[in-house]
Amino acid sequence: MILIQEVIRDVVERVSEKLRVDINFQCGDAIYVKDQLQILSSAPNADRLKYPLFLLYMPIQEDKTDAKFYSKVSLRILIATLSEKGFSYEQRLEYSFQNILHPIYETFIEELKNDNRFIHEYFNHIPHTYVDNYQY
């Protein structure tokens, strides 16, 4: 059986290797991930273990009604990093988004397109909704 969370984990590992940054991949519901992050908090250098965070929300609903595909899925993903409460919009844009989050997002999309386990019906475009949240 193909597990979508394992496929996404593989893609995130390639992103991590390409960008030479350790990405904390987590999958689960909000309570489970909160608990996992609290466990990591007790480790030395905890922030480096927790962030950047790539979260694949669970459960994942798979549509298995089309015989042409193993399944069709819509995924809910969050990519997060640490920020400073006192950062201005400009500081957060530069430090968090331009230097960390955007490269992870862009590389993830490219790696997803290149993964032969996915069939894209939209001519090498992955339709999705994207939001940058500049709040602390």
Side-chain angles (χ1 to χ4, degrees), residues 69-101:
F69 302 100
Y70 178 78
S71 70
K72 293 182 179 182
V73 297
S74 289
L75 303 176
R76 294 179 303 141
I77 293 171
L78 171 76
I79 305 170
T81 194
L82 281 178
S83 185
E84 295 292 329
K85 188 174 184 176
F87 271 5
S88 67
Y89 163 83
E90 292 80 9
Q91 289 170 311
R92 192 164 281 119
L93 172 65
E94 180 181 349
Y95 175 78
S96 298
F97 288 87
Q98 292 175 339
N99 291 337
I100 300 168
L101 299 174

PDB file of all heavy atoms in Angstrom, residues 69-101:
ATOM      1  N   PHE A  69      -6.167   6.316 -11.497  1.00  0.00           N
ATOM      2  CA  PHE A  69      -5.242   6.777 -10.466  1.00  0.00           C
ATOM      3  C   PHE A  69      -5.285   5.850  -9.260  1.00  0.00           C
ATOM      4  O   PHE A  69      -6.327   5.300  -8.929  1.00  0.00           O
ATOM      5  CB  PHE A  69      -5.604   8.197 -10.000  1.00  0.00           C
ATOM      6  CG  PHE A  69      -5.607   9.205 -11.100  1.00  0.00           C
ATOM      7  CD1 PHE A  69      -6.798   9.600 -11.693  1.00  0.00           C
ATOM      8  CD2 PHE A  69      -4.421   9.758 -11.550  1.00  0.00           C
ATOM      9  CE1 PHE A  69      -6.803  10.533 -12.711  1.00  0.00           C
ATOM     10  CE2 PHE A  69      -4.416  10.688 -12.567  1.00  0.00           C
ATOM     11  CZ  PHE A  69      -5.612  11.072 -13.156  1.00  0.00           C
ATOM     12  N   TYR A  70      -4.146   5.736  -8.596  1.00  0.00           N
ATOM     13  CA  TYR A  70      -4.122   5.002  -7.332  1.00  0.00           C
ATOM     14  C   TYR A  70      -5.060   5.696  -6.345  1.00  0.00           C
ATOM     15  O   TYR A  70      -5.871   5.063  -5.696  1.00  0.00           O
ATOM     16  CB  TYR A  70      -2.689   4.939  -6.779  1.00  0.00           C
ATOM     17  CG  TYR A  70      -2.614   4.235  -5.457  1.00  0.00           C
ATOM     18  CD1 TYR A  70      -2.656   2.847  -5.394  1.00  0.00           C
ATOM     19  CD2 TYR A  70      -2.532   4.965  -4.274  1.00  0.00           C
ATOM     20  CE1 TYR A  70      -2.609   2.196  -4.165  1.00  0.00           C
ATOM     21  CE2 TYR A  70      -2.486   4.317  -3.050  1.00  0.00           C
ATOM     22  CZ  TYR A  70      -2.527   2.936  -3.000  1.00  0.00           C
ATOM     23  OH  TYR A  70      -2.488   2.301  -1.790  1.00  0.00           O
ATOM     24  N   SER A  71      -4.920   7.015  -6.264  1.00  0.00           N
ATOM     25  CA  SER A  71      -5.841   7.824  -5.471  1.00  0.00           C
ATOM     26  C   SER A  71      -5.627   9.294  -5.825  1.00  0.00           C
ATOM     27  O   SER A  71      -4.611   9.663  -6.395  1.00  0.00           O
ATOM     28  CB  SER A  71      -5.644   7.613  -3.966  1.00  0.00           C
ATOM     29  OG  SER A  71      -4.426   8.160  -3.532  1.00  0.00           O
ATOM     30  N   LYS A  72      -6.606  10.091  -5.472  1.00  0.00           N
ATOM     31  CA  LYS A  72      -6.504  11.541  -5.587  1.00  0.00           C
ATOM     32  C   LYS A  72      -6.611  12.105  -4.178  1.00  0.00           C
ATOM     33  O   LYS A  72      -7.425  11.642  -3.382  1.00  0.00           O
ATOM     34  CB  LYS A  72      -7.623  12.112  -6.466  1.00  0.00           C
ATOM     35  CG  LYS A  72      -7.526  11.719  -7.923  1.00  0.00           C
ATOM     36  CD  LYS A  72      -8.644  12.358  -8.723  1.00  0.00           C
ATOM     37  CE  LYS A  72      -8.548  11.984 -10.175  1.00  0.00           C
ATOM     38  NZ  LYS A  72      -9.602  12.635 -10.977  1.00  0.00           N
ATOM     39  N   VAL A  73      -5.765  13.101  -3.889  1.00  0.00           N
ATOM     40  CA  VAL A  73      -5.752  13.675  -2.547  1.00  0.00           C
ATOM     41  C   VAL A  73      -5.669  15.189  -2.601  1.00  0.00           C
ATOM     42  O   VAL A  73      -5.144  15.760  -3.551  1.00  0.00           O
ATOM     43  CB  VAL A  73      -4.564  13.151  -1.705  1.00  0.00           C
ATOM     44  CG1 VAL A  73      -4.662  11.659  -1.486  1.00  0.00           C
ATOM     45  CG2 VAL A  73      -3.239  13.513  -2.315  1.00  0.00           C
ATOM     46  N   SER A  74      -6.193  15.784  -1.582  1.00  0.00           N
ATOM     47  CA  SER A  74      -5.955  17.196  -1.294  1.00  0.00           C
ATOM     48  C   SER A  74      -5.247  17.215   0.043  1.00  0.00           C
ATOM     49  O   SER A  74      -5.738  16.633   1.015  1.00  0.00           O
ATOM     50  CB  SER A  74      -7.256  17.982  -1.211  1.00  0.00           C
ATOM     51  OG  SER A  74      -7.827  18.124  -2.483  1.00  0.00           O
ATOM     52  N   LEU A  75      -4.096  17.862   0.072  1.00  0.00           N
ATOM     53  CA  LEU A  75      -3.287  17.870   1.281  1.00  0.00           C
ATOM     54  C   LEU A  75      -3.349  19.233   1.957  1.00  0.00           C
ATOM     55  O   LEU A  75      -3.444  20.257   1.296  1.00  0.00           O
ATOM     56  CB  LEU A  75      -1.831  17.537   0.941  1.00  0.00           C
ATOM     57  CG  LEU A  75      -1.599  16.218   0.227  1.00  0.00           C
ATOM     58  CD1 LEU A  75      -0.128  16.057  -0.131  1.00  0.00           C
ATOM     59  CD2 LEU A  75      -2.078  15.053   1.075  1.00  0.00           C
ATOM     60  N   ARG A  76      -3.250  19.221   3.268  1.00  0.00           N
ATOM     61  CA  ARG A  76      -3.132  20.451   4.047  1.00  0.00           C
ATOM     62  C   ARG A  76      -1.735  20.457   4.639  1.00  0.00           C
ATOM     63  O   ARG A  76      -1.378  19.569   5.410  1.00  0.00           O
ATOM     64  CB  ARG A  76      -4.201  20.516   5.133  1.00  0.00           C
ATOM     65  CG  ARG A  76      -5.602  20.616   4.551  1.00  0.00           C
ATOM     66  CD  ARG A  76      -6.684  20.651   5.604  1.00  0.00           C
ATOM     67  NE  ARG A  76      -6.597  19.480   6.456  1.00  0.00           N
ATOM     68  CZ  ARG A  76      -6.796  19.484   7.779  1.00  0.00           C
ATOM     69  NH1 ARG A  76      -7.101  20.591   8.405  1.00  0.00           N
ATOM     70  NH2 ARG A  76      -6.695  18.365   8.478  1.00  0.00           N
ATOM     71  N   ILE A  77      -0.980  21.467   4.253  1.00  0.00           N
ATOM     72  CA  ILE A  77       0.435  21.549   4.628  1.00  0.00           C
ATOM     73  C   ILE A  77       0.707  22.897   5.272  1.00  0.00           C
ATOM     74  O   ILE A  77       0.172  23.923   4.846  1.00  0.00           O
ATOM     75  CB  ILE A  77       1.321  21.366   3.378  1.00  0.00           C
ATOM     76  CG1 ILE A  77       1.185  19.934   2.854  1.00  0.00           C
ATOM     77  CG2 ILE A  77       2.764  21.721   3.658  1.00  0.00           C
ATOM     78  CD1 ILE A  77       1.830  19.709   1.519  1.00  0.00           C
ATOM     79  N   LEU A  78       1.575  22.891   6.264  1.00  0.00           N
ATOM     80  CA  LEU A  78       2.040  24.115   6.898  1.00  0.00           C
ATOM     81  C   LEU A  78       3.559  24.065   6.927  1.00  0.00           C
ATOM     82  O   LEU A  78       4.141  23.052   7.306  1.00  0.00           O
ATOM     83  CB  LEU A  78       1.510  24.209   8.337  1.00  0.00           C
ATOM     84  CG  LEU A  78       2.088  25.336   9.185  1.00  0.00           C
ATOM     85  CD1 LEU A  78       1.470  26.661   8.776  1.00  0.00           C
ATOM     86  CD2 LEU A  78       1.855  25.067  10.658  1.00  0.00           C
ATOM     87  N   ILE A  79       4.184  25.149   6.499  1.00  0.00           N
ATOM     88  CA  ILE A  79       5.630  25.298   6.603  1.00  0.00           C
ATOM     89  C   ILE A  79       5.857  26.473   7.542  1.00  0.00           C
ATOM     90  O   ILE A  79       5.359  27.568   7.300  1.00  0.00           O
ATOM     91  CB  ILE A  79       6.285  25.556   5.238  1.00  0.00           C
ATOM     92  CG1 ILE A  79       5.902  24.464   4.239  1.00  0.00           C
ATOM     93  CG2 ILE A  79       7.807  25.626   5.384  1.00  0.00           C
ATOM     94  CD1 ILE A  79       6.320  24.771   2.798  1.00  0.00           C
ATOM     95  N   ALA A  80       6.599  26.239   8.614  1.00  0.00           N
ATOM     96  CA  ALA A  80       6.766  27.274   9.636  1.00  0.00           C
ATOM     97  C   ALA A  80       8.213  27.359  10.078  1.00  0.00           C
ATOM     98  O   ALA A  80       8.970  26.398   9.976  1.00  0.00           O
ATOM     99  CB  ALA A  80       5.874  26.962  10.838  1.00  0.00           C
ATOM    100  N   THR A  81       8.580  28.526  10.591  1.00  0.00           N
ATOM    101  CA  THR A  81       9.898  28.713  11.178  1.00  0.00           C
ATOM    102  C   THR A  81       9.774  29.638  12.368  1.00  0.00           C
ATOM    103  O   THR A  81       8.717  30.239  12.604  1.00  0.00           O
ATOM    104  CB  THR A  81      10.906  29.256  10.143  1.00  0.00           C
ATOM    105  OG1 THR A  81      12.224  29.117  10.662  1.00  0.00           O
ATOM    106  CG2 THR A  81      10.630  30.703   9.780  1.00  0.00           C
ATOM    107  N   LEU A  82      10.843  29.761  13.104  1.00  0.00           N
ATOM    108  CA  LEU A  82      10.865  30.682  14.244  1.00  0.00           C
ATOM    109  C   LEU A  82      10.910  32.118  13.758  1.00  0.00           C
ATOM    110  O   LEU A  82      11.463  32.413  12.700  1.00  0.00           O
ATOM    111  CB  LEU A  82      12.101  30.423  15.105  1.00  0.00           C
ATOM    112  CG  LEU A  82      12.040  29.255  16.048  1.00  0.00           C
ATOM    113  CD1 LEU A  82      13.367  29.127  16.790  1.00  0.00           C
ATOM    114  CD2 LEU A  82      10.904  29.391  17.033  1.00  0.00           C
ATOM    115  N   SER A  83      10.363  32.975  14.559  1.00  0.00           N
ATOM    116  CA  SER A  83      10.420  34.394  14.275  1.00  0.00           C
ATOM    117  C   SER A  83      10.539  35.120  15.609  1.00  0.00           C
ATOM    118  O   SER A  83      10.385  34.526  16.669  1.00  0.00           O
ATOM    119  CB  SER A  83       9.161  34.837  13.528  1.00  0.00           C
ATOM    120  OG  SER A  83       9.259  36.182  13.144  1.00  0.00           O
ATOM    121  N   GLU A  84      10.826  36.376  15.528  1.00  0.00           N
ATOM    122  CA  GLU A  84      10.918  37.191  16.732  1.00  0.00           C
ATOM    123  C   GLU A  84       9.655  38.020  16.878  1.00  0.00           C
ATOM    124  O   GLU A  84       9.190  38.620  15.907  1.00  0.00           O
ATOM    125  CB  GLU A  84      12.139  38.120  16.659  1.00  0.00           C
ATOM    126  CG  GLU A  84      13.464  37.398  16.642  1.00  0.00           C
ATOM    127  CD  GLU A  84      13.768  36.702  17.957  1.00  0.00           C
ATOM    128  OE1 GLU A  84      13.329  37.193  19.019  1.00  0.00           O
ATOM    129  OE2 GLU A  84      14.437  35.658  17.909  1.00  0.00           O
ATOM    130  N   LYS A  85       9.120  38.065  18.082  1.00  0.00           N
ATOM    131  CA  LYS A  85       7.878  38.801  18.338  1.00  0.00           C
ATOM    132  C   LYS A  85       8.003  40.263  17.917  1.00  0.00           C
ATOM    133  O   LYS A  85       7.068  40.838  17.395  1.00  0.00           O
ATOM    134  CB  LYS A  85       7.506  38.694  19.811  1.00  0.00           C
ATOM    135  CG  LYS A  85       6.158  39.255  20.130  1.00  0.00           C
ATOM    136  CD  LYS A  85       5.771  38.994  21.567  1.00  0.00           C
ATOM    137  CE  LYS A  85       4.365  39.484  21.832  1.00  0.00           C
ATOM    138  NZ  LYS A  85       3.931  39.153  23.180  1.00  0.00           N
ATOM    139  N   GLY A  86       9.160  40.849  18.118  1.00  0.00           N
ATOM    140  CA  GLY A  86       9.341  42.266  17.829  1.00  0.00           C
ATOM    141  C   GLY A  86       9.696  42.584  16.382  1.00  0.00           C
ATOM    142  O   GLY A  86       9.893  43.751  16.042  1.00  0.00           O
ATOM    143  N   PHE A  87       9.785  41.580  15.521  1.00  0.00           N
ATOM    144  CA  PHE A  87      10.137  41.843  14.121  1.00  0.00           C
ATOM    145  C   PHE A  87       9.084  42.715  13.451  1.00  0.00           C
ATOM    146  O   PHE A  87       7.880  42.528  13.644  1.00  0.00           O
ATOM    147  CB  PHE A  87      10.229  40.540  13.339  1.00  0.00           C
ATOM    148  CG  PHE A  87      11.581  39.887  13.331  1.00  0.00           C
ATOM    149  CD1 PHE A  87      12.643  40.379  14.064  1.00  0.00           C
ATOM    150  CD2 PHE A  87      11.792  38.748  12.577  1.00  0.00           C
ATOM    151  CE1 PHE A  87      13.880  39.766  14.057  1.00  0.00           C
ATOM    152  CE2 PHE A  87      13.021  38.120  12.552  1.00  0.00           C
ATOM    153  CZ  PHE A  87      14.070  38.630  13.298  1.00  0.00           C
ATOM    154  N   SER A  88       9.529  43.621  12.634  1.00  0.00           N
ATOM    155  CA  SER A  88       8.623  44.379  11.776  1.00  0.00           C
ATOM    156  C   SER A  88       8.229  43.491  10.600  1.00  0.00           C
ATOM    157  O   SER A  88       8.806  42.415  10.385  1.00  0.00           O
ATOM    158  CB  SER A  88       9.324  45.633  11.245  1.00  0.00           C
ATOM    159  OG  SER A  88      10.369  45.261  10.353  1.00  0.00           O
ATOM    160  N   TYR A  89       7.260  43.938   9.832  1.00  0.00           N
ATOM    161  CA  TYR A  89       6.850  43.214   8.628  1.00  0.00           C
ATOM    162  C   TYR A  89       8.058  42.984   7.719  1.00  0.00           C
ATOM    163  O   TYR A  89       8.275  41.882   7.218  1.00  0.00           O
ATOM    164  CB  TYR A  89       5.768  44.017   7.888  1.00  0.00           C
ATOM    165  CG  TYR A  89       5.567  43.585   6.457  1.00  0.00           C
ATOM    166  CD1 TYR A  89       4.746  42.496   6.156  1.00  0.00           C
ATOM    167  CD2 TYR A  89       6.213  44.239   5.409  1.00  0.00           C
ATOM    168  CE1 TYR A  89       4.580  42.084   4.844  1.00  0.00           C
ATOM    169  CE2 TYR A  89       6.047  43.833   4.104  1.00  0.00           C
ATOM    170  CZ  TYR A  89       5.229  42.751   3.822  1.00  0.00           C
ATOM    171  OH  TYR A  89       5.069  42.344   2.534  1.00  0.00           O
ATOM    172  N   GLU A  90       8.864  44.024   7.514  1.00  0.00           N
ATOM    173  CA  GLU A  90      10.014  43.926   6.622  1.00  0.00           C
ATOM    174  C   GLU A  90      11.049  42.932   7.128  1.00  0.00           C
ATOM    175  O   GLU A  90      11.621  42.161   6.364  1.00  0.00           O
ATOM    176  CB  GLU A  90      10.663  45.305   6.416  1.00  0.00           C
ATOM    177  CG  GLU A  90       9.815  46.288   5.631  1.00  0.00           C
ATOM    178  CD  GLU A  90       8.725  46.969   6.468  1.00  0.00           C
ATOM    179  OE1 GLU A  90       8.706  46.820   7.721  1.00  0.00           O
ATOM    180  OE2 GLU A  90       7.878  47.635   5.861  1.00  0.00           O
ATOM    181  N   GLN A  91      11.293  42.953   8.436  1.00  0.00           N
ATOM    182  CA  GLN A  91      12.253  42.006   9.014  1.00  0.00           C
ATOM    183  C   GLN A  91      11.750  40.568   8.890  1.00  0.00           C
ATOM    184  O   GLN A  91      12.509  39.662   8.546  1.00  0.00           O
ATOM    185  CB  GLN A  91      12.503  42.335  10.491  1.00  0.00           C
ATOM    186  CG  GLN A  91      13.290  43.604  10.700  1.00  0.00           C
ATOM    187  CD  GLN A  91      13.295  44.003  12.165  1.00  0.00           C
ATOM    188  OE1 GLN A  91      12.244  44.047  12.822  1.00  0.00           O
ATOM    189  NE2 GLN A  91      14.482  44.278  12.681  1.00  0.00           N
ATOM    190  N   ARG A  92      10.469  40.371   9.156  1.00  0.00           N
ATOM    191  CA  ARG A  92       9.893  39.023   9.054  1.00  0.00           C
ATOM    192  C   ARG A  92       9.907  38.554   7.594  1.00  0.00           C
ATOM    193  O   ARG A  92      10.206  37.390   7.314  1.00  0.00           O
ATOM    194  CB  ARG A  92       8.475  39.023   9.621  1.00  0.00           C
ATOM    195  CG  ARG A  92       7.922  37.636   9.824  1.00  0.00           C
ATOM    196  CD  ARG A  92       6.692  37.605  10.718  1.00  0.00           C
ATOM    197  NE  ARG A  92       7.118  37.692  12.111  1.00  0.00           N
ATOM    198  CZ  ARG A  92       6.776  38.675  12.929  1.00  0.00           C
ATOM    199  NH1 ARG A  92       6.002  39.649  12.528  1.00  0.00           N
ATOM    200  NH2 ARG A  92       7.202  38.694  14.170  1.00  0.00           N
ATOM    201  N   LEU A  93       9.598  39.447   6.678  1.00  0.00           N
ATOM    202  CA  LEU A  93       9.634  39.115   5.251  1.00  0.00           C
ATOM    203  C   LEU A  93      11.023  38.641   4.852  1.00  0.00           C
ATOM    204  O   LEU A  93      11.180  37.578   4.247  1.00  0.00           O
ATOM    205  CB  LEU A  93       9.231  40.324   4.402  1.00  0.00           C
ATOM    206  CG  LEU A  93       9.408  40.176   2.889  1.00  0.00           C
ATOM    207  CD1 LEU A  93       8.478  39.108   2.333  1.00  0.00           C
ATOM    208  CD2 LEU A  93       9.169  41.508   2.201  1.00  0.00           C
ATOM    209  N   GLU A  94      12.037  39.398   5.221  1.00  0.00           N
ATOM    210  CA  GLU A  94      13.398  39.047   4.832  1.00  0.00           C
ATOM    211  C   GLU A  94      13.891  37.802   5.555  1.00  0.00           C
ATOM    212  O   GLU A  94      14.344  36.844   4.926  1.00  0.00           O
ATOM    213  CB  GLU A  94      14.355  40.209   5.100  1.00  0.00           C
ATOM    214  CG  GLU A  94      15.785  39.882   4.702  1.00  0.00           C
ATOM    215  CD  GLU A  94      16.754  41.024   4.982  1.00  0.00           C
ATOM    216  OE1 GLU A  94      16.314  42.149   5.288  1.00  0.00           O
ATOM    217  OE2 GLU A  94      17.957  40.760   4.893  1.00  0.00           O
ATOM    218  N   TYR A  95      13.814  37.796   6.881  1.00  0.00           N
ATOM    219  CA  TYR A  95      14.402  36.703   7.654  1.00  0.00           C
ATOM    220  C   TYR A  95      13.619  35.393   7.488  1.00  0.00           C
ATOM    221  O   TYR A  95      14.187  34.366   7.142  1.00  0.00           O
ATOM    222  CB  TYR A  95      14.491  37.075   9.139  1.00  0.00           C
ATOM    223  CG  TYR A  95      14.973  35.917   9.983  1.00  0.00           C
ATOM    224  CD1 TYR A  95      16.319  35.579  10.016  1.00  0.00           C
ATOM    225  CD2 TYR A  95      14.081  35.144  10.705  1.00  0.00           C
ATOM    226  CE1 TYR A  95      16.771  34.496  10.752  1.00  0.00           C
ATOM    227  CE2 TYR A  95      14.519  34.059  11.446  1.00  0.00           C
ATOM    228  CZ  TYR A  95      15.860  33.740  11.464  1.00  0.00           C
ATOM    229  OH  TYR A  95      16.293  32.667  12.190  1.00  0.00           O
ATOM    230  N   SER A  96      12.333  35.450   7.757  1.00  0.00           N
ATOM    231  CA  SER A  96      11.548  34.215   7.786  1.00  0.00           C
ATOM    232  C   SER A  96      11.112  33.744   6.405  1.00  0.00           C
ATOM    233  O   SER A  96      11.231  32.563   6.082  1.00  0.00           O
ATOM    234  CB  SER A  96      10.296  34.401   8.654  1.00  0.00           C
ATOM    235  OG  SER A  96      10.658  34.699   9.979  1.00  0.00           O
ATOM    236  N   PHE A  97      10.601  34.669   5.601  1.00  0.00           N
ATOM    237  CA  PHE A  97       9.992  34.258   4.338  1.00  0.00           C
ATOM    238  C   PHE A  97      11.002  34.135   3.206  1.00  0.00           C
ATOM    239  O   PHE A  97      11.111  33.076   2.582  1.00  0.00           O
ATOM    240  CB  PHE A  97       8.839  35.198   3.974  1.00  0.00           C
ATOM    241  CG  PHE A  97       7.645  34.981   4.861  1.00  0.00           C
ATOM    242  CD1 PHE A  97       7.542  35.637   6.069  1.00  0.00           C
ATOM    243  CD2 PHE A  97       6.660  34.084   4.510  1.00  0.00           C
ATOM    244  CE1 PHE A  97       6.460  35.418   6.912  1.00  0.00           C
ATOM    245  CE2 PHE A  97       5.573  33.849   5.328  1.00  0.00           C
ATOM    246  CZ  PHE A  97       5.473  34.521   6.540  1.00  0.00           C
ATOM    247  N   GLN A  98      11.734  35.187   2.924  1.00  0.00           N
ATOM    248  CA  GLN A  98      12.656  35.149   1.786  1.00  0.00           C
ATOM    249  C   GLN A  98      13.825  34.191   2.016  1.00  0.00           C
ATOM    250  O   GLN A  98      14.274  33.545   1.077  1.00  0.00           O
ATOM    251  CB  GLN A  98      13.165  36.548   1.462  1.00  0.00           C
ATOM    252  CG  GLN A  98      12.071  37.439   0.916  1.00  0.00           C
ATOM    253  CD  GLN A  98      12.537  38.875   0.692  1.00  0.00           C
ATOM    254  OE1 GLN A  98      13.527  39.329   1.267  1.00  0.00           O
ATOM    255  NE2 GLN A  98      11.800  39.590  -0.141  1.00  0.00           N
ATOM    256  N   ASN A  99      14.307  34.100   3.239  1.00  0.00           N
ATOM    257  CA  ASN A  99      15.489  33.275   3.509  1.00  0.00           C
ATOM    258  C   ASN A  99      15.176  31.829   3.875  1.00  0.00           C
ATOM    259  O   ASN A  99      16.040  30.964   3.708  1.00  0.00           O
ATOM    260  CB  ASN A  99      16.324  33.897   4.633  1.00  0.00           C
ATOM    261  CG  ASN A  99      16.988  35.181   4.207  1.00  0.00           C
ATOM    262  OD1 ASN A  99      17.197  35.420   3.022  1.00  0.00           O
ATOM    263  ND2 ASN A  99      17.311  36.020   5.160  1.00  0.00           N
ATOM    264  N   ILE A 100      13.975  31.564   4.387  1.00  0.00           N
ATOM    265  CA  ILE A 100      13.694  30.217   4.876  1.00  0.00           C
ATOM    266  C   ILE A 100      12.447  29.615   4.225  1.00  0.00           C
ATOM    267  O   ILE A 100      12.521  28.583   3.556  1.00  0.00           O
ATOM    268  CB  ILE A 100      13.547  30.210   6.417  1.00  0.00           C
ATOM    269  CG1 ILE A 100      14.852  30.713   7.066  1.00  0.00           C
ATOM    270  CG2 ILE A 100      13.183  28.810   6.930  1.00  0.00           C
ATOM    271  CD1 ILE A 100      14.730  31.010   8.550  1.00  0.00           C
ATOM    272  N   LEU A 101      11.304  30.226   4.441  1.00  0.00           N
ATOM    273  CA  LEU A 101      10.037  29.606   4.044  1.00  0.00           C
ATOM    274  C   LEU A 101       9.828  29.533   2.534  1.00  0.00           C
ATOM    275  O   LEU A 101       9.428  28.485   2.013  1.00  0.00           O
ATOM    276  CB  LEU A 101       8.866  30.334   4.707  1.00  0.00           C
ATOM    277  CG  LEU A 101       8.880  30.297   6.237  1.00  0.00           C
ATOM    278  CD1 LEU A 101       7.778  31.171   6.803  1.00  0.00           C
ATOM    279  CD2 LEU A 101       8.765  28.869   6.740  1.00  0.00           C
TER     280      LEU A 101
END
